[in-house]
Amino acid sequence: MVKFSKQFEGQLVPEWKEAFVDYRQLKKDIKKIREQDYNNNKNDDDDKTHVSNNKIRCSFFPSLQKCASYMRKNRDHKTIQVHRKLAGSSSKTDFYETELLEQFADSDGAVEFFACLDRQLNKVNQFYKTKEKEFLERGESLDKQMQILTELKMALQKKCEKGSSSSSSKDEESISGTISCEQEQEQEQENLVEEYNKDEMKVLESPKSGEAAKARKKVDGKMTSFSGGIVNCQGKNLRINIPLTNPTRTFSAITYLLWDDMVNNQSSSNKLHISKTKLHHAEKMIKGASVELYKGLGYLQTYRNLNMLAFVKILKKFDKVTSKQVLPIYLRVVESSYFNSSDKAIKLADEVEEHFVKNFAEDDKRKAMKYLKPTQRKESHAVTFFIGLFTGCFFAFFVGYVIMARLAGMYRSNSDVMYMETVYPVLSLFSLLFLHLFLYGCNIFAWRKARINYAFIFELSPTKELKYRDVFLICAASMAAVIGVLFLHLSLVAKGFSYAQVQPIPGLVVMAFVVVLVCPFDIFYRSSRLRFLSVIRNIALSPLYKVAMLDFFTADQLCSQVPMLRNLEYIACYYITGSYKTQDYNYCMRTGYYRDLAYAVSFLPYYWRAMQCARRWIDEGHGSHLTNLGKYVSAMLAAGAKVAYEKESGAGWLCLVVVLSTAATVYQLYWDFVKDWGLLQINSKNPWLRDELMLRQKFIYYFSMGLNLVLRLAWLQTVFHYNFEKVDYRVTTLFLAALEVVRRGQWNFYRNSFRSKHHSTCTD
């Protein structure tokens, strides 16, 4: 049977973990009480005998209710008394404090336990009331926006029925709106926001153009939406700033734009300037806001139920250890406390569900529940079966390929140059790519075990995200196909076929994967492929796009895949220029623009990442982004020096490589350990780590830090040129590149585990 502590930790909301009852600490306090009773209660033999007799009698009663009534009759008096302190001006909610009576007068452990229990109860009440207030405000704002949207729909419908022409744009000028995703402005503008919000509420209650004009004048040409974003009004141009990927705030900004458009046009003429596109976009945002609000209310209900169950379980343990009857007394207090007695959140959830069914599901509750309570995709046994099947095929093809390559002497120092220069880059490309993807699947598995909400951090759809089994299936199937084709290619070469006959095969493999990646049909995880392509577009066009978490996380992955990008560049040049027809593999090496492109590819991922840091600094204004930008600039300089040293070997270039690479490595190690992983905190209770650790075994963190240090020094191969005996240097290069991918996979886990500690809400 699974212990409750395991169930409790497995079901709690990860982002609110610190706000839940500290069940582990309460168990430690009970353990102290048990130890004190064992050492100090030898003089209470009479009391122990009396309690044991009561237990024996209870065991013979046919029902637990009779046992409980018997114990209540034999109690002399209460053991504790809980005092409730009413909320004052300085506190937001009532506080509870337990007074121990004479039975616990000499028990220090009991004093500590109830002090901790009171803190937990007060913490839960405080957090619940804060979150409930937040959700109620969102629900009130959502209800007002729904009313506005309904009125606008009716107005547009009347307009269509009257058949009014669309030439209203030629009349008096109206406000034109452009909607953009930007973050909230600086703290200095908060007073302006609050000042306008008051007037804005009045405008919504009495939507007259005169009041709207007064509100705009009062804030000196600046307006704000319900979301708190500042809107600059310059003449007739209105710009609404909407926080990125936050439906609970975007709906208010959009509908206010529509309402303001309607108000101003009504004052100027009897014709409405309302487009169906605007209404559809506003309706979509409000729908998303409703789903997010309902999800948050569900989390709050889970928070309420789990904490109530935790109080019951821990009080039962206390009664069992001390042989006292504290549970009925304290449980009455818990049941009457705010977090358990308030029903505002439950009523709000019912209202949101009712509105959603009416406005977005055509009165079909089953259809509405698909959005409000989406069912998780069930783990299919077929996926597991195909993972095993393709993994077996991969190993079979790989063993055959290794034996064939060994017999043909392909990977020795005096190997077939044509094969190593043209076919081996394809193998290296896919090996690094799917090794990285496999490690990402391992990360997903580890994040799930550690209760890290990676889908929330990456802003992924819970119903469309890739599970770790899906990732493993993609890796196994893809590598089985790649190794199978290359095994066939090598077999044809060994049988005497010329390279002119078989050389198109590796190129066709690469082309097939590109076609699958951009395939528009709903096959092969279409939603994930499209999301990946959109992220690559955002990265390639940095800093033109707003930087989301998934964007810079993927850009970091590309920084560890420079060898793969260079292989991809060479393969593209080799096949696009037609060199494979003449087997002139040195053509791309001799071409000047290719050499320049190779130089650019070596530092292009670092450039993208640096531009993302610059964009985030512009948007957010935090100086840490500039410091992070410096890290990638140093990496660019080191990568450029390595490429230059490879082309023109010399003592001067070697010294420059050593100096720049050393500086970049120290910079990167500091950022890895301190900024990304949150480690090396001097005053931490865990030496040289941090106070809150996701993993209980501390040695794993020390080992990971040491491993990260060693793998960061892989650039030393450029200086010493060490190779394995009788092994081609290209194999050594692939091995070192694979080590960097492994380092990145390790970095990913600790990066997100540290980031999850800094997300206190799950509905933002």
Side-chain angles (χ1 to χ4, degrees):
M1 185 177 179
V2 181
K3 292 184 177 180
F4 173 74
S5 58
K6 296 291 184 181
Q7 295 178 341
F8 182 72
E9 294 177 0
Q11 296 178 18
L12 56 80
V13 182
E15 290 75 30
W16 296 349
K17 184 176 181 179
E18 300 302 323
F20 277 81
V21 171
D22 193 350
Y23 192 78
R24 191 179 298 275
Q25 181 60 42
L26 291 171
K27 284 181 65 178
K28 290 180 180 179
D29 292 340
I30 290 180
K31 186 177 180 181
K32 291 181 182 179
I33 296 174
R34 184 187 292 114
E35 293 175 353
Q36 290 179 358
D37 289 343
Y38 181 79
N39 296 325
N40 301 328
N41 290 347
K42 295 181 179 180
N43 298 327
D44 299 335
D45 295 335
D46 296 338
D47 294 339
K48 289 184 178 181
T49 302
H50 178 69
V51 172
S52 62
N53 290 335
N54 286 337
K55 289 184 178 180
I56 293 173
R57 293 188 194 120
C58 289
S59 62
F60 288 98
F61 279 100
S63 67
L64 293 175
Q65 293 180 349
K66 291 183 179 180
C67 176
S69 62
Y70 179 84
M71 293 296 295
R72 283 195 295 270
K73 290 178 181 178
N74 287 274
R75 276 206 314 267
D76 296 332
H77 49 270
K78 294 182 178 180
T79 55
I80 62 171
Q81 186 173 357
V82 184
H83 300 283
R84 177 184 177 184
K85 296 183 178 180
L86 298 179
S89 57
S90 60
S91 61
K92 298 180 180 180
T93 185
D94 297 343
F95 279 82
Y96 296 90
E97 184 176 333
T98 302
E99 177 187 358
L100 304 184
L101 303 182
E102 60 270 15
Q103 293 190 28
F104 290 122
D106 299 330
S107 179
D108 296 333
V111 173
E112 294 180 7
F113 172 79
F114 281 104
C116 182
L117 193 64
D118 292 337
R119 287 196 302 269
Q120 300 305 314
L121 179 58
N122 295 329
K123 178 182 70 174
V124 169
N125 280 325
Q126 181 70 42
F127 182 83
Y128 186 89
K129 191 170 186 177
T130 302
K131 281 296 172 184
E132 185 186 62
K133 180 181 178 182
E134 176 185 337
F135 288 133
L136 289 174
E137 291 175 354
R138 292 185 182 183
E140 182 180 358
S141 181
L142 177 62
D143 184 57
K144 290 180 179 179
Q145 305 312 310
M146 281 298 306
Q147 294 177 9
I148 295 173
L149 183 63
T150 303
E151 293 177 9
L152 290 173
K153 282 184 177 181
M154 294 174 62
L156 183 62
Q157 186 177 2
K158 291 180 180 179
K159 174 185 174 182
C160 294
E161 291 176 355
K162 291 179 180 179
S164 60
S165 63
S166 60
S167 61
S168 58
S169 58
K170 297 180 181 179
D171 298 331
E172 294 184 29
E173 291 184 352
S174 61
I175 293 178
S176 61
T178 58
I179 301 172
S180 62
C181 290
E182 295 181 2
Q183 290 188 344
E184 296 176 310
Q185 303 295 323
E186 299 294 333
Q187 292 281 339
E188 58 192 273
Q189 297 171 326
E190 288 183 356
N191 295 331
L192 179 65
V193 172
E194 295 176 359
E195 184 179 5
Y196 180 74
N197 277 336
K198 296 177 181 178
D199 296 294
E200 187 184 55
M201 294 297 294
K202 296 177 182 178
V203 172
L204 289 176
E205 294 172 0
S206 180
K208 298 179 181 179
S209 59
E211 295 182 4
K214 290 179 182 179
R216 283 193 290 272
K217 290 179 182 178
K218 187 172 183 178
V219 292
D220 299 327
K222 291 188 176 181
M223 294 197 306
T224 180
S225 65
F226 286 129
S227 62
I230 301 299
V231 183
N232 295 320
C233 259
Q234 304 273 342
K236 294 292 182 178
N237 293 324
L238 176 65
R239 182 178 181 82
I240 294 183
N241 296 320
I242 301 171
L244 185 65
T245 61
N246 202 331
T248 57
R249 299 177 181 177
T250 56
F251 70 84
S252 56
I254 292 172
T255 51
Y256 181 79
L257 171 64
L258 299 176
W259 181 260
D260 187 78
D261 195 6
M262 174 180 163
V263 168
N264 282 276
N265 283 303
Q266 280 183 331
S267 64
S268 61
S269 64
N270 293 327
K271 298 178 180 179
L272 294 177
H273 295 254
I274 305 172
S275 65
K276 290 184 179 181
T277 304
K278 282 184 177 182
L279 283 177
H280 178 72
H281 193 54
E283 184 175 4
K284 183 179 179 181
M285 288 293 99
I286 295 177
K287 182 179 180 181
S290 301
V291 172
E292 292 296 319
L293 178 59
Y294 192 84
K295 186 190 300 182
L297 292 170
Y299 289 148
L300 194 62
Q301 184 65 22
T302 301
Y303 177 82
R304 171 182 182 169
N305 295 336
L306 284 180
N307 282 313
M308 187 64 196
L309 188 58
F311 280 116
V312 173
K313 291 289 184 181
I314 202 65
L315 288 170
K316 283 184 177 180
K317 284 183 176 293
F318 181 85
D319 286 358
K320 182 178 180 181
V321 170
T322 61
S323 300
K324 307 294 183 181
Q325 292 297 312
V326 173
L327 174 62
I329 303 173
Y330 203 94
L331 192 58
R332 281 196 297 270
V333 177
V334 175
E335 289 175 345
S336 62
S337 63
Y338 188 86
F339 87 94
N340 188 67
S341 59
S342 176
D343 60 348
K344 296 179 181 179
I346 299 176
K347 291 181 179 179
L348 179 60
D350 294 337
E351 292 175 3
V352 173
E353 181 179 326
E354 181 181 352
H355 285 303
F356 195 92
V357 171
K358 179 181 178 182
N359 296 290
F360 302 112
E362 301 175 352
D363 292 327
D364 188 348
K365 188 172 182 179
R366 180 176 298 181
K367 180 180 178 181
M369 288 299 104
K370 292 181 180 179
Y371 294 97
L372 296 177
K373 293 182 179 180
T375 56
Q376 297 290 337
R377 288 188 294 123
K378 294 182 179 180
E379 300 291 349
S380 175
H381 294 294
V383 174
T384 306
F385 169 76
F386 282 112
I387 290 174
L389 176 63
F390 288 125
T391 302
C393 293
F394 164 72
F395 280 110
F397 286 135
F398 183 74
V399 171
Y401 179 81
V402 170
I403 294 174
M404 187 70 69
R406 175 71 177 176
L407 296 176
M410 287 297 179
Y411 295 110
R412 297 177 183 175
S413 56
N414 56 349
S415 59
D416 187 346
V417 179
M418 175 64 69
Y419 185 87
M420 296 302 296
E421 291 288 350
T422 59
V423 181
Y424 184 73
V426 177
L427 175 62
S428 178
L429 167 71
F430 287 112
S431 298
L432 293 175
L433 174 62
F434 290 110
L435 173 63
H436 208 140
L437 194 60
F438 172 77
L439 292 174
Y440 175 68
C442 295
N443 287 145
I444 294 177
F445 179 79
W447 289 331
R448 290 186 61 181
K449 289 295 183 182
R451 298 285 297 164
I452 297 173
N453 196 347
Y454 66 93
F456 169 72
I457 295 175
F458 291 142
E459 300 174 356
L460 301 175
S461 173
T463 58
K464 297 180 180 179
E465 60 166 323
L466 287 177
K467 310 297 184 182
Y468 69 91
R469 286 189 177 90
D470 298 322
V471 176
F472 292 156
L473 177 60
I474 294 172
C475 294
S478 301
M479 284 307 297
V482 170
I483 297 299
V485 173
L486 293 183
F487 174 69
L488 174 63
H489 176 272
L490 188 58
S491 300
L492 295 176
V493 172
K495 289 181 179 180
F497 285 84
S498 64
Y499 278 103
Q501 294 175 301
V502 299
Q503 205 65 337
I505 295 178
L508 291 175
V509 175
V510 178
M511 184 178 295
F513 275 90
V514 173
V515 169
V516 171
L517 179 62
V518 300
C519 177
F521 302 111
D522 193 8
I523 55 175
F524 302 123
Y525 304 101
R526 179 177 179 269
S527 60
S528 298
R529 289 188 288 107
L530 294 181
R531 183 68 184 272
F532 174 75
L533 291 175
S534 67
V535 169
I536 294 298
R537 177 205 61 192
N538 296 348
I539 294 173
L541 297 180
S542 299
L544 301 180
Y545 279 92
K546 193 80 174 176
V547 183
M549 171 63 186
L550 190 59
D551 294 339
F552 68 77
F553 178 83
T554 306
D556 277 326
Q557 311 308 304
L558 293 178
C559 291
S560 296
Q561 287 287 11
V562 172
M564 184 200 73
L565 295 177
R566 295 188 66 176
N567 285 330
L568 180 61
E569 175 200 20
Y570 174 79
I571 294 169
C573 175
Y574 181 71
Y575 283 97
I576 291 175
T577 59
S579 300
Y580 71 96
K581 298 178 182 179
T582 60
Q583 290 81 55
D584 185 9
Y585 58 84
N586 282 323
Y587 173 79
C588 294
M589 301 294 186
R590 295 193 306 266
T591 307
Y593 72 84
Y594 173 80
R595 291 198 302 267
D596 296 337
L597 188 59
Y599 180 84
V601 167
S602 297
F603 67 83
L604 193 57
Y606 302 108
Y607 166 79
W608 287 333
R609 194 65 187 88
M611 290 300 98
Q612 288 180 336
C613 293
R615 176 59 188 264
R616 294 188 70 189
W617 175 73
I618 293 173
D619 293 337
E620 302 174 14
H622 296 310
S624 59
H625 296 310
L626 288 180
T627 310
N628 198 15
L629 185 148
K631 181 186 72 170
Y632 293 104
V633 171
S634 67
M636 276 193 288
L637 296 176
K642 292 176 187 177
V643 173
Y645 176 67
E646 290 175 0
K647 294 193 297 184
E648 301 178 11
S649 300
W653 284 112
L654 178 61
C655 293
L656 186 62
V657 168
V658 172
V659 172
L660 292 178
S661 297
T662 302
T665 301
V666 173
Y667 206 155
Q668 291 164 353
L669 286 173
Y670 166 77
W671 204 269
D672 286 345
F673 296 150
V674 179
K675 298 295 184 179
D676 290 337
W677 295 3
L679 304 178
L680 295 182
Q681 296 182 7
I682 300 177
N683 298 324
S684 173
K685 62 183 180 182
N686 302 307
W688 297 103
L689 299 179
R690 62 172 185 257
D691 291 338
E692 299 176 356
L693 300 177
M694 298 297 296
L695 305 177
R696 297 181 183 178
Q697 294 79 8
K698 298 179 184 178
F699 76 91
I700 297 179
Y701 289 91
Y702 297 115
F703 173 78
S704 299
M705 292 169 66
L707 182 61
N708 189 71
L709 171 63
V710 172
L711 296 180
R712 279 287 190 187
L713 298 176
W715 60 268
L716 291 174
Q717 190 269 346
T718 308
V719 178
F720 296 109
H721 297 286
Y722 51 85
N723 290 306
F724 297 103
E725 186 178 358
K726 297 181 180 181
V727 176
D728 191 276
Y729 74 93
R730 301 175 188 84
V731 180
T732 305
T733 303
L734 174 61
F735 175 73
L736 294 176
L739 290 181
E740 169 60 20
V741 173
V742 172
R743 187 201 67 80
R744 179 62 65 179
Q746 170 189 258
W747 179 91
N748 290 340
F749 173 77
Y750 292 109
R751 177 70 179 89
N752 269 9
S753 65
F754 177 62
R755 185 175 178 81
S756 67
K757 288 292 184 181
H758 292 74
H759 279 75
S760 59
T761 63
C762 54
T763 56
D764 280 348

